[in-house]
Amino acid sequence: MRNVIWPMHIPGEHLDDGDVSLRLYCSDDAEQLFHAVRDERAWEHLPTRMPSDFGELDADILARVADGHWLTFTVRHAGAVVGRTSVIWKRSAPEGVEIGGTQLDPAVWGTGVNMRVKRMLIREVFDQGAAWIGFRTDERNSRSAAAIRKLGATDLGVHQDTLIRRDGSLRRSRFFRLDRPTTTAFQKAARLTENQRERSLLPRKTSGMY
């Protein structure tokens, strides 16, 4: 079984899908990111407390990516920073990666931004040789679990995790796995996603009623 290319090579250090884009995180993004995820709801299921300012947020992210096993992206929608997400590689399982650490401004929840972000990353990760992609979410986070299922990932059930919740409890997480599709299926999925994106950019007819 081949290993995923790591560190991943991101052409131009960004990925785009219309008005949604991913850029490799840099400290210049910290202030806008801090304000985008300042809502307490954006931190509810994360195993870390909300930072007091953007400097602390920046330090936390830089510490996380320092060992080279995390690749963190800043998420933008229509040019505005709306969150972050990461690809995580483990030396003990080099044939795949985990997509996680996703945190979005609640203002874009339910708008399709999260799905577009995940599909961009899934496409890129499989293009770079991954055999599988893992996902996990707190067992209490049914909204996140539902979104992961929509990606076609297999639900592996709830298991004890090593993460500590903000309330001090040891987290139990629901784990998922998305296996690399066959070449034919992967190409069809890529074409479907591209066609959907192109249709979304076409001008829409209106009835004149509001």
Side-chain angles (χ1 to χ4, degrees):
M1 182 179 294
R2 63 183 292 189
N3 294 344
V4 64
I5 297 171
W6 194 267
M8 287 175 58
H9 172 64
I10 308 298
E13 299 190 343
H14 65 88
L15 300 171
D16 298 284
D17 177 12
D19 59 359
V20 176
S21 68
L22 299 175
R23 299 289 187 276
L24 289 177
Y25 175 82
C26 69
S27 294
D28 290 343
D29 299 334
E31 185 170 5
Q32 293 180 68
L33 178 59
F34 175 74
H35 290 295
V37 298
R38 201 169 184 177
D39 191 309
E40 178 67 27
R41 290 173 295 169
W43 296 87
E44 182 179 2
H45 296 292
L46 295 184
T48 183
R49 65 177 182 82
M50 184 188 298
S52 58
D53 56 40
F54 70 85
E56 184 179 353
L57 175 62
D58 181 50
D60 288 346
I61 294 174
L62 293 181
R64 178 73 70 177
V65 303
D67 66 2
H69 293 172
W70 279 63
L71 199 62
T72 295
F73 297 86
T74 301
V75 180
R76 286 179 171 82
H77 179 230
V81 172
V82 295
R84 59 172 165 161
T85 191
S86 296
V87 179
I88 305 134
W89 177 82
K90 293 182 179 179
R91 194 177 301 278
S92 59
E95 68 280 1
V97 298
E98 180 178 344
I99 293 177
T102 303
Q103 186 181 30
L104 296 173
D105 182 344
V108 300
W109 290 3
T111 66
V113 168
N114 181 49
M115 295 297 286
R116 290 165 69 185
V117 165
K118 293 299 196 307
R119 284 173 178 152
M120 275 193 282
L121 287 178
I122 288 169
R123 223 167 27 240
E124 192 64 31
V125 166
F126 282 142
D127 276 350
Q128 301 206 25
W132 52 265
I133 299 170
F135 303 87
R136 78 175 89 178
T137 189
D138 192 304
E139 64 175 340
R140 304 171 181 176
N141 194 347
S142 57
R143 181 181 59 80
S144 175
I148 295 170
R149 290 189 186 98
K150 288 181 181 179
L151 294 170
T154 300
D155 189 335
L156 303 178
V158 175
H159 304 276
Q160 190 64 63
D161 208 334
T162 58
L163 301 174
I164 306 296
R165 295 187 179 103
R166 288 190 295 159
D167 63 8
S169 62
L170 188 59
R171 192 173 103 169
R172 285 173 58 81
S173 294
R174 185 172 292 280
F175 289 81
F176 297 84
R177 174 170 167 141
L178 182 64
D179 288 316
R180 181 181 182 83
T182 63
T183 301
T184 301
F186 192 38
Q187 290 173 340
K188 286 182 178 178
R191 286 198 298 270
L192 178 61
T193 299
E194 182 62 22
N195 290 339
Q196 289 173 334
R197 188 186 73 80
E198 290 175 354
R199 285 198 297 272
S200 73
L201 297 175
L202 293 174
R204 301 188 180 206
K205 295 180 180 180
T206 62
S207 64
M209 300 176 63
Y210 299 92

